[in-house]
Amino acid sequence: MSNYSSNDIVLYSYWRSSCSYRVRIALQLKGIEYQYVAVPLLENKQSSEEYTVMNPSQVVPTLIIDGHTLGQSISIMEYLEETRKDKGSPLLPNDFLQRQQVRQIVQIIASDTQPIQNLKVLKKIKQDFNTTEEVKAEWAKYWINAGLKAVEKVLEKTSGKYCVGDQVSMADCCLIPQVYNAKRFNVDMSQYPIISRIDEACSSLDVFIKAHPDSQPDKQ
């Protein structure tokens, strides 16, 4: 990979990666301009020796910022908020309880849901158990439904216009990409009226439109 200066901000991303999608939303909310470098996951470019030096987990995203190389979408968003608290829109509320609620929703999605249905898990299931594409899809659909059911219940108590009150937060940065995944796997979103309402509200905002997979240069 290229050598960058301390002033460079570079996002290694894949257009349909929900983890990359989260960080793209956060960067937009913070008003941070960045260079986009595509990492074609279906070509296994994330496993190259060069990329592995930057990201030992061989996943996207990787963010180059402030002369540092950062991995893992949630910790990247935390870093953006902590280092640029007064820039753009806040990713976390000021209220301590609301901050916990944001992080609860984030963890339901980022820890309990998305990792079980991501690309490398689905590839491993097919490889080890010789499953069909239909079985892979049903596996993903099952775990997405399980996660969204939990999120919907939490949102009954926390939501306003967005996941926690009326301010976009890290929770929305995580929810909207997960809804995108749900739609890819034909999840019946009518089961989740609050999630669907928040998805509609966020999808009309320019920052979400710019971060959407269809707006990325490597969209296929």
Side-chain angles (χ1 to χ4, degrees), residues 16-185:
R16 208 164 59 181
S17 155
S18 58
C19 297
S20 298
Y21 191 176
R22 297 168 191 164
V23 173
R24 294 197 302 262
I25 297 169
L27 288 166
Q28 291 292 335
L29 286 167
K30 284 296 182 184
I32 299 171
E33 295 185 2
Y34 61 92
Q35 177 185 341
Y36 186 104
V37 177
V39 182
L41 300 188
L42 298 184
E43 299 174 20
N44 207 34
K45 296 298 184 182
Q46 71 278 15
S47 299
S48 70
E49 183 176 349
E50 193 175 11
Y51 187 77
T52 302
V53 171
M54 283 201 311
N55 191 318
S57 297
Q58 300 181 334
V59 296
V60 289
T62 298
L63 182 67
I64 310 294
I65 190 168
D66 301 333
H68 306 302
T69 302
L70 311 181
Q72 296 297 328
S73 62
I74 307 307
S75 65
I76 290 173
M77 290 193 289
E78 294 269 7
Y79 179 87
L80 295 177
E81 178 65 6
E82 291 168 356
T83 60
R84 291 158 173 82
K85 184 173 178 60
D86 298 324
K87 183 177 176 65
S89 299
L91 302 180
L92 288 168
N94 288 325
D95 180 81
F96 289 123
L97 176 59
Q98 287 190 322
R99 290 166 81 94
Q100 187 281 328
Q101 291 167 339
V102 166
R103 289 181 169 118
Q104 180 180 0
I105 294 166
V106 164
Q107 291 303 322
I108 292 172
I109 295 167
S111 297
D112 297 344
T113 308
Q114 187 274 337
I116 315 175
Q117 52 91 157
N118 70 7
L119 177 63
K120 64 182 180 181
V121 170
L122 295 179
K123 286 174 67 175
K124 184 67 173 172
I125 289 170
K126 183 172 184 179
Q127 175 186 318
D128 287 1
F129 301 103
N130 194 29
T131 58
T132 63
E133 291 299 316
E134 290 75 15
V135 170
K136 279 172 52 181
E138 284 303 312
W139 169 278
K141 191 172 179 180
Y142 174 86
W143 290 110
I144 292 171
N145 268 313
L148 293 185
K149 285 176 184 175
V151 171
E152 183 81 5
K153 294 299 291 184
V154 173
L155 293 176
E156 290 176 2
K157 298 179 181 179
T158 67
S159 67
K161 186 174 182 180
Y162 303 110
C163 283
V164 178
D166 296 324
Q167 174 69 50
V168 173
S169 69
M170 281 175 55
D172 304 282
C173 293
C174 290
L175 178 63
I176 303 312
Q178 190 58 60
V179 171
Y180 177 83
N181 279 351
K183 292 175 180 177
R184 279 184 58 211
F185 288 104

Side-chain angles (χ1 to χ4, degrees), residues 204-216:
S204 68
L205 300 177
D206 190 52
V207 291
F208 283 85
I209 293 169
K210 289 179 178 178
H212 192 277
D214 289 348
S215 302
Q216 306 317 304

